[in-house]
Amino acid sequence: RSFEYSHKNVALVSVATLGVGGMLVYWLRPRHKIKTIEMGDGWWGAGERPLKGKEDESIRPFRIETSDKEIEDLHYRLDQARYTPPLEGAAFHYGFNSSYLQKVVAYWRNQFDWRKQVEVLNKYPHFQTTIEGIDIHFIHVKPSYIPHGQAVQPLLMVHGWPGSFYEFYKIIPLLTEPASHGLNEGDIVFEVICPSIPGYGFSEAPHKQGFDSIATARIFHKLMNRLGFKEYYLQGGDWGSRITTNMAQMLPKSVKGLHLNVVFINKQGLGRVISVMLGAYVPWLVGFTREDARRMYPFIQKNIYDLLRESGYFHIQATKPDTAGCGLNDSPVGLAAYILEKFSTWTDKSFLQQDDGGLESKYCLDELLTNVMIYWVTSSIVSSMRFYKENIANDPDPGLHSRVGVYVPTGIAAFPEEIAHTPRVWAKQVFKNIVTYSYMPRGGHFAAFEEPKLLAQDIMHFVRKVEQL
């Protein structure tokens, strides 16, 4: 009888456990689903949103063009430039060295061929389509040859500031024709879509206040849907990292995988302070690797002083972008100095020590000036700078985005010269499904522009793993 009694007890406990467990699973599942960013809707065109009529969803071919008048105006402005002599031995410590700037401008004025670069820009198919009242520009490059039975993976790549869609021109052929570049046996092939963030380059600037990364994420989801893709991969750095992360937080079912070459985690607290304090001495105790410790310490120097030195632009653009933008939009020399200085120190902090900012050790002047010209000919520097104000004004707590988890498969390529390093243990606080985390051997902030082959290899490595899941 005691045996029967205990047996019944065990059965009751088992049933109760299953019941409680079932309720717990049921309770947790809807909570998990709630952790997404609401997609919402928007209108960024001039004036009021039309009450009737559907938005024109056509996808229109687009070509970049130039004219004698445009080039003559540029040359006139370059000829009128005024310079302030640099301090002796200043190198790039005070910003763009004006002695080297004069050499850049002389090349721009006398050797740089904008018409030739326009042909280079037009070598990939360009398009525009209207979404939420503004014209969105993008390039869409498909593989020229697809082996029988090979699945082509759609990949949306998003740039940041002060870059452009042109940053991806060297990596695109590696992704669309990998076998011909010796990158793999043809098992992973992409078609690549590179949009211009609204207000950057050839994408129309929003006419309303409040256009932030979430609005951009929604527009890019609509773009991919309009192109016929139900599922796709995402890749981004700088603002592109935040935009694609928002896309994964917004519609995780549409995102097959998210690959980032920079991750900023804004979570603070006592745990973070303790991990920073202990990480220098016992990194393993707080989940840091030796490489994490090498990249992060001395902490004050690398994560406070260096960031303060490099982030003055951020405060200006997050508060009064139109004021600073007036001069940049009027002076091509000022615009070049402002933009190219970032391609110096964000590529490698040690370039501060060089009179030419190390610019030509990683890039050629034709590449750098083509990116500057995209801002110049479209008068988009002010609207691109406003993106900072819209994001900071709408989200005074940047940690808000970090409180919404990312559950899609994620790959992180950590480049050693990036502005700040985020160890995997910190990234896991937001990115819950990290499939690959790579310590890249070299390279900085503009990964696709500077180290296209390394980045392409890491993207393929990540996608290959996701496809095997």
Side-chain angles (χ1 to χ4, degrees):
R1 187 177 281 184
S2 63
F3 173 78
E4 281 184 22
Y5 183 74
S6 61
H7 190 69
K8 286 179 180 177
N9 270 356
V10 170
L12 286 170
V13 169
S14 299
V15 169
T17 302
L18 285 170
V20 171
M23 290 174 66
L24 187 62
V25 169
Y26 179 79
W27 181 72
L28 286 173
R29 282 184 66 187
R31 281 172 61 87
H32 190 79
K33 288 182 180 178
I34 288 171
K35 292 180 180 178
T36 58
I37 293 176
E38 187 176 344
M39 187 161 181
D41 199 10
W43 171 261
W44 308 102
E48 296 297 320
R49 187 172 196 163
L51 296 176
K52 294 182 179 180
K54 192 177 180 182
E55 186 167 72
D56 178 10
E57 296 186 356
S58 64
I59 295 171
R60 307 175 294 275
F62 175 83
R63 281 186 64 81
I64 299 170
E65 297 178 347
T66 188
S67 65
D68 291 340
K69 183 178 179 181
E70 183 175 76
I71 296 171
E72 287 167 6
D73 176 70
L74 171 69
H75 288 174
Y76 172 78
R77 292 170 186 263
L78 294 178
D79 289 338
Q80 303 304 311
R82 300 189 303 171
Y83 303 90
T84 300
L87 296 172
E88 295 178 5
F92 260 54
H93 285 280
Y94 284 72
F96 207 107
N97 186 294
S98 60
S99 293
Y100 177 62
L101 180 60
Q102 291 181 67
K103 295 179 182 178
V104 172
V105 172
Y107 180 88
W108 196 1
R109 173 63 177 85
N110 301 311
Q111 293 173 261
F112 179 78
D113 188 341
W114 175 232
R115 291 188 184 279
K116 178 183 176 182
Q117 294 308 113
V118 165
E119 291 179 11
V120 170
L121 291 173
N122 282 325
K123 75 176 182 177
Y124 294 131
H126 292 248
F127 303 91
Q128 278 189 339
T129 188
T130 306
I131 304 177
E132 298 190 5
I134 53 177
D135 291 338
I136 305 301
H137 162 263
F138 63 98
I139 56 175
H140 187 179
V141 187
K142 300 178 181 180
S144 60
Y145 169 74
I146 305 170
H148 180 69
Q150 174 69 61
V152 178
Q153 304 295 342
L155 174 65
L156 180 82
M157 305 188 77
V158 184
H159 66 88
W161 187 91
S164 65
F165 67 93
Y166 177 61
E167 285 181 71
F168 301 116
Y169 267 50
K170 288 185 282 188
I171 197 173
I172 286 173
L174 307 184
L175 296 170
T176 57
E177 314 286 346
S180 63
H181 291 85
L183 287 183
N184 62 19
E185 298 75 33
D187 60 324
I188 299 289
V189 179
F190 297 94
E191 59 178 297
V192 179
I193 301 92
C194 299
S196 295
I197 298 171
Y200 288 67
F202 299 99
S203 275
E204 185 179 355
H207 297 264
K208 307 279 192 279
Q209 298 178 47
F211 187 87
D212 58 9
S213 63
I214 293 175
T216 311
R218 180 178 64 245
I219 282 177
F220 288 171
H221 268 310
K222 289 182 178 181
L223 171 64
M224 294 301 279
N225 184 256
R226 192 170 291 183
L227 291 172
F229 301 116
K230 293 181 179 179
E231 290 185 315
Y232 33 87
Y233 285 94
L234 304 174
Q235 202 287 323
D238 195 87
W239 278 122
S241 173
R242 175 147 161 174
I243 292 164
T244 53
T245 297
N246 288 162
M247 292 177 75
Q249 293 167 320
M250 186 178 287
L251 289 177
K253 289 184 178 180
S254 296
V255 179
K256 294 183 73 175
L258 169 68
H259 186 279
L260 307 172
N261 56 274
V262 64
V263 173
F264 294 111
I265 304 295
N266 297 295
K267 289 191 174 183
Q268 306 298 328
L270 182 60
R272 176 62 58 88
V273 173
I274 291 172
S275 67
V276 167
M277 292 175 65
L278 295 177
Y281 306 101
V282 282
W284 53 268
L285 191 62
V286 292
F288 294 170
T289 65
R290 288 184 179 179
E291 183 62 17
D292 290 330
R294 190 185 71 80
R295 295 186 183 194
M296 293 174 66
Y297 297 94
F299 192 84
I300 298 295
Q301 173 69 38
K302 291 188 176 182
N303 296 274
I304 297 179
Y305 178 73
D306 285 355
L307 282 178
L308 284 173
R309 185 191 64 217
E310 294 299 328
S311 60
Y313 81 98
F314 190 100
H315 189 77
I316 292 171
Q317 294 178 192
T319 53
K320 303 290 181 67
D322 286 32
T323 303
C326 287
L328 302 179
N329 197 46
D330 190 60
S331 167
V333 175
L335 181 68
Y338 196 73
I339 287 177
L340 296 186
E341 183 244 308
K342 304 309 178 192
F343 280 87
S344 167
T345 49
W346 292 2
T347 296
D348 192 321
K349 299 179 188 73
S350 70
F351 287 170
L352 276 172
Q353 314 294 338
Q354 301 183 31
D355 290 340
D356 64 356
L359 281 167
E360 293 178 73
S361 64
K362 293 288 186 176
Y363 316 101
C364 72
L365 287 180
D366 280 347
E367 293 171 343
L368 293 168
L369 290 171
T370 296
N371 183 66
V372 172
M373 285 294 290
I374 289 170
Y375 282 86
W376 176 254
V377 301
T378 58
S379 295
S380 60
I381 187 62
V382 175
S383 51
S384 74
M385 292 163 68
R386 287 175 184 159
F387 200 57
Y388 286 78
K389 182 172 178 63
E390 302 295 13
N391 280 286
I392 302 305
N394 290 343
D395 183 10
D397 174 15
L400 176 65
H401 293 260
S402 299
R403 289 196 291 270
V404 179
V406 176
Y407 294 90
V408 305
T410 303
I412 298 171
F415 284 83
E417 297 301 330
E418 185 52 83
I419 299 168
H421 176 69
T422 300
R424 182 174 186 150
V425 67
W426 287 1
K428 284 167 64 177
Q429 295 172 353
V430 174
F431 301 92
K432 309 298 185 181
N433 187 9
I434 298 176
V435 175
T436 63
Y437 183 101
S438 308
Y439 295 99
M440 306 305 283
R442 61 185 180 277
H445 188 68
F446 304 98
F449 206 37
E450 180 191 351
E451 295 289 350
K453 190 169 185 178
L454 283 180
L455 184 61
Q457 288 172 325
D458 199 71
I459 293 169
M460 290 174 185
H461 172 61
F462 164 67
V463 171
R464 193 176 290 113
K465 283 207 165 187
V466 174
E467 291 297 313
Q468 292 169 356
L469 292 177

